[in-house]
Amino acid sequence: MEEKYLAAEKILKKYGQEHLLSQYDKLNDEKKAKLLDEILTLDFNQINELFKRIGKTEDEKNGKIEPVRCTDKSAMSKEELEHYESIGLKAIKEGKLAAVTMAGGQGTRLGHNGPKGTFDIGLDSHKPIFEILCDTLKDAQKKYGVYVMWYIMTSNENNDATVKFFEDNNYFGYPKEKVMFFRQGELPMVDTNGKVLLGEDGLIKLAADGHGGIFLSMKKNGIIYDMKSKGIEWAFIGGVDNVLVNMVDPVILGLAIDKKVLVAGKSVIKAGPHEKVGVFCKKNGKPSVVEYSEISKEMAEATNENGELKYGESHILCNLFSVKAIEEISKNTLPYHSAFKKAKFLDKDGNLITSDKPNAYKFEAFLFDAFDSLDDIAILRVKREEEFAPVKNAEGVDSPETARKLYKEFHNK
Ligand code: UTP
């Protein structure tokens, strides 16, 4: 331990992070060993680089942004729809599709005490979100005769509670062997001076590295391998917080196979020019998503010859990836974006610092940053009222109340 301590001290000195050992003496032996391991394995160069880039947004002016074409599901003829459906159905029945749910987020806006998937949006049945999602897989089993594999990405913070919830609820009646959990990666949080934070437990304060971390964690946790060994060729990847998500959709799968693309995404028409959503676009000729914070007023309001918003295809985090594409994407790290968040941490004197305003940075990768490694993706425009009922905020827009209403309206139809 002595040797490790000296090695850790040396590294910290090199990077100006000596405060990380300030609480060392107060820790028990197990935590002492853990902290030293954390320090010895942390990539401080990466943290320095990420900190230096905070505030330096990508220069959009240098990136040529263009609108993108989509296939509108409601404008498809009966024949077209049946064509895509039959292609997708064949692949589903052959066991080539898996569902992946990203449930590693902190859900800070919702403020629920526990993983977001355990939240009850207030349906008469009081089904928690995980059960609502599981229903779509059970329905698919009834319709197509296959139990689709369900992979659930958790974080270190919520993994145990998530697994326990599934155990306690008997996997909502879904076969346990068809459900696999895997944890996403983490990165340290830093303060406004670039100092890595110590959490309340005296260890390095880590936070989930964003939904874009999924590709790397699928590789590290053997999920890509597992899919390949089961003959799975496609994975629908969606967030946990859309209670109208359709995880087993033959149409988008058939569209991707027919158009010979490795990735497809669903969009809904943007509710208005200034709705706070990212929209699909082409950037320097490659598929991309431009965030609402990065789009100019002119671009947001621009309309095409049909009077539709030029940049009006909202990205709803409902995407289909071929396992081949996941494997390729997982070979590279996606760029990290910084987010200024509220964090509780220990200062160098061991005082617990809390704040009601953001006070520290976390670094996150975004799933859609993977699109630009592809020449093309297929985009299927679906109806908001059929496929998109997000649960983001405790009240107001995209809240349990709005999601519950959308869910009920859709299922009463
Ligand atoms: P959001 O970006 O809405 O974040 O995640 P969030 O953590 O759920 O909520 P806030 O921002 O703290 O209020 C969109 C989807 O991506 C998943 C979330 O679980 C959600 O399904 N996600 C997000 C991850 O799996 N890991 C992450 O690190 C971030």
Side-chain angles (χ1 to χ4, degrees):
M1 193 102 116
E2 178 70 19
E3 222 171 276
K4 271 193 173 177
Y5 183 91
L6 292 174
E9 206 176 34
K10 202 167 152 197
I11 292 178
L12 296 183
K13 202 158 177 216
K14 179 171 168 199
Y15 291 99
Q17 303 278 2
E18 295 94 324
H19 62 286
L20 291 177
L21 283 174
S22 61
Q23 306 306 307
Y24 182 80
D25 290 338
K26 295 183 197 156
L27 302 178
N28 63 28
D29 285 350
E30 195 189 329
K31 280 195 177 172
K32 278 181 175 153
K34 189 153 186 224
L35 178 63
L36 294 182
D37 283 340
E38 284 183 340
I39 295 170
L40 293 173
T41 50
L42 201 74
D43 185 346
F44 285 98
N45 268 330
Q46 181 194 30
I47 301 301
N48 274 351
E49 285 308 310
L50 291 175
F51 182 70
K52 272 196 237 156
R53 267 191 270 144
I54 290 174
K56 288 189 189 139
T57 48
E58 258 182 90
D59 189 0
E60 294 297 324
K61 289 169 204 99
N62 291 335
K64 186 168 174 245
I65 297 187
E66 295 164 287
V68 76
R69 281 221 319 252
C70 73
T71 305
D72 185 353
K73 189 175 169 189
S74 57
M76 279 183 195
S77 66
K78 195 167 165 273
E79 290 72 31
E80 266 180 301
L81 198 60
E82 281 173 4
H83 171 68
Y84 293 129
E85 229 164 22
S86 68
I87 299 174
L89 267 181
K90 182 170 177 290
I92 293 170
K93 288 183 178 168
E94 288 169 354
K96 291 184 178 162
L97 178 72
V100 183
T101 297
M102 299 183 293
Q106 288 181 303
T108 43
R109 285 169 289 172
L110 182 64
H112 166 56
N113 184 19
K116 217 189 229 185
T118 67
F119 186 74
D120 168 7
I121 64 163
L123 297 176
D124 298 337
S125 62
H126 292 288
K127 283 182 184 177
I129 296 181
F130 277 133
E131 186 169 5
I132 294 173
L133 265 50
C134 189
D135 280 349
T136 69
L137 300 179
K138 290 199 271 187
D139 284 351
Q141 194 278 329
K142 279 191 205 126
K143 280 197 246 166
Y144 315 131
V146 282
Y147 282 109
V148 169
M149 268 304 292
W150 190 14
Y151 299 89
I152 298 169
M153 182 169 83
T154 62
S155 63
N156 276 335
E157 203 177 321
N158 72 16
N159 181 73
D160 294 354
T162 304
V163 176
K164 185 170 184 304
F165 193 73
F166 272 75
E167 288 285 341
D168 290 350
N169 287 283
N170 192 28
Y171 288 71
F172 312 108
Y174 206 64
K176 189 176 167 174
E177 67 280 8
K178 294 285 172 188
V179 184
M180 258 178 97
F181 301 92
F182 65 103
R183 293 174 199 234
Q184 71 172 102
E186 294 183 308
L187 281 171
M189 293 187 75
V190 299
D191 71 7
T192 48
N193 297 313
K195 301 284 178 199
V196 172
L197 298 183
L198 274 184
E200 280 171 273
D201 55 2
L203 300 173
I204 287 181
K205 185 160 182 88
L206 298 162
D209 62 359
H211 44 63
I214 188 165
F215 305 103
L216 211 57
S217 43
M218 283 179 78
K219 177 161 86 176
K220 281 193 185 157
N221 290 290
I223 302 298
I224 299 178
Y225 174 81
D226 190 75
M227 287 182 171
K228 283 170 54 173
S229 71
K230 293 187 165 87
I232 294 166
E233 294 179 8
W234 294 90
F236 171 83
I237 304 183
V240 71
D241 49 10
N242 172 11
V243 295
L244 282 182
V245 68
N246 179 3
M247 302 203 282
V248 188
D249 181 0
V251 179
I252 192 164
L253 181 55
L255 183 77
I257 296 173
D258 192 64
K259 291 202 180 298
K260 297 189 172 51
V261 290
L262 296 177
V263 172
K266 285 189 179 178
S267 70
V268 299
I269 298 179
K270 201 175 174 187
H274 301 294
E275 191 192 3
K276 290 185 171 176
V277 287
V279 290
F280 283 102
C281 67
K282 280 225 158 179
K283 190 166 161 191
N284 297 323
K286 298 282 195 171
S288 185
V289 168
V290 59
E291 290 213 84
Y292 66 89
S293 53
E294 291 173 352
I295 195 165
S296 66
K297 188 173 179 291
E298 292 71 39
M299 268 172 73
E301 293 173 356
T303 50
N304 64 19
E305 58 284 3
N306 303 323
E308 295 176 329
L309 290 176
K310 259 186 167 177
Y311 297 94
E313 302 302 329
S314 305
H315 174 256
I316 55 170
L317 207 57
C318 286
N319 298 297
L320 179 77
F321 285 79
S322 63
V323 175
K324 227 189 255 173
I326 296 174
E327 200 167 19
E328 275 311 304
I329 295 164
S330 72
K331 289 180 185 163
N332 300 303
T333 318
L334 296 178
Y336 289 108
H337 305 254
S338 58
F340 203 35
K341 297 259 179 178
K342 280 185 262 182
K344 274 189 197 168
F345 61 91
L346 297 182
D347 70 7
K348 65 177 182 354
D349 302 316
N351 302 312
L352 181 65
I353 307 295
T354 54
S355 169
D356 51 8
K357 289 194 208 93
N359 56 353
Y361 292 99
K362 74 180 278 205
F363 301 103
E364 292 182 307
F366 298 154
L367 173 132
F368 49 76
D369 279 332
F371 293 159
D372 73 1
S373 64
L374 300 145
D375 288 330
D376 202 8
I377 64 174
I379 300 168
L380 181 68
R381 184 198 282 173
V382 295
K383 287 191 181 148
R384 187 180 280 261
E385 63 274 23
E386 292 179 358
E387 304 212 22
F388 191 48
V391 183
K392 297 284 182 192
N393 305 304
E395 286 170 356
V397 283
D398 299 343
S399 63
E401 191 186 340
T402 57
R404 183 168 65 237
K405 186 167 178 284
L406 286 162
Y407 180 94
K408 282 187 176 171
E409 280 168 3
F410 177 71
H411 286 277
N412 287 340
K413 247 204 237 162

